[in-house]
Amino acid sequence: MFTISRETQFCYGHRLLHHPGRCRRLHGHNGRVRILLSAPLNTQGMVLDFGEIRETFERWIDENLDHHTLLEEGDPLVEALRQAGEEVVVMASSPTAENIAHMLFEKAQNLGLPVVEVSIWETPKCRATYRE
């Protein structure tokens, strides 16, 4: 079995509503995402063309997460930000790096990619990874 990976970046805001520390405040990150794919080689000798990852997974991130605010369902800021014309993504759970990695993993699966794991760095030193 072969594996490939590709990295991309996106900017996002969030807050962890029930966090006891500073992360309960609205703040932003320059996130870095790495997707790891695994499959037998296709007839072209590839797991998948890197351009296909860019055109599916990265395009989805650019259109749906980049420069958006990720908030937990029930956060009182959701409606206020939407009324102010801001792009808000409402997650069923707290928008931690772990939950964002899980969301991106599921999105990659839904896009038909042979995803093995997704990692997100919310800072250069802090990374969360999801794999099944």
Side-chain angles (χ1 to χ4, degrees):
M1 196 65 73
F2 291 85
T3 62
I4 61 172
S5 65
R6 185 168 165 100
E7 293 187 8
T8 191
Q9 297 179 330
F10 73 103
C11 299
Y12 67 99
H14 74 157
R15 74 176 184 167
L16 308 181
L17 193 58
H18 306 290
H19 191 276
R22 297 183 306 175
C23 292
R24 73 181 176 277
R25 297 185 194 120
L26 193 59
H27 63 284
H29 293 285
N30 294 316
R32 186 173 105 218
V33 174
R34 182 184 67 212
I35 185 170
L36 180 69
L37 307 174
S38 183
L41 298 182
N42 63 21
T43 58
Q44 297 174 323
M46 302 178 209
V47 170
L48 188 71
D49 189 304
F50 288 110
E52 190 171 335
I53 301 168
R54 184 184 66 245
E55 290 302 316
T56 58
F57 185 69
E58 290 181 31
R59 177 181 286 184
W60 186 87
I61 290 171
D62 286 344
E63 293 174 356
N64 296 281
L65 298 180
D66 189 40
H67 286 83
H68 287 55
T69 302
L70 285 64
L71 296 174
E72 179 178 352
E73 191 173 72
D75 189 317
L77 280 182
V78 170
E79 194 54 40
L81 288 173
R82 284 184 173 158
Q83 286 180 4
E86 296 296 326
E87 297 285 344
V88 178
V89 175
V90 178
M91 296 179 60
S93 55
S94 182
T96 61
E98 294 88 345
N99 287 329
I100 296 168
H102 183 222
M103 174 183 65
L104 290 171
F105 183 96
E106 288 182 337
K107 178 45 69 174
Q109 278 187 322
N110 291 340
L111 291 169
L113 299 176
V115 60
V116 172
E117 72 177 32
V118 172
S119 295
I120 181 168
W121 286 258
E122 63 176 28
T123 72
K125 296 181 181 180
C126 299
R127 175 185 72 175
T129 299
Y130 181 82
R131 70 178 74 83
E132 288 188 327

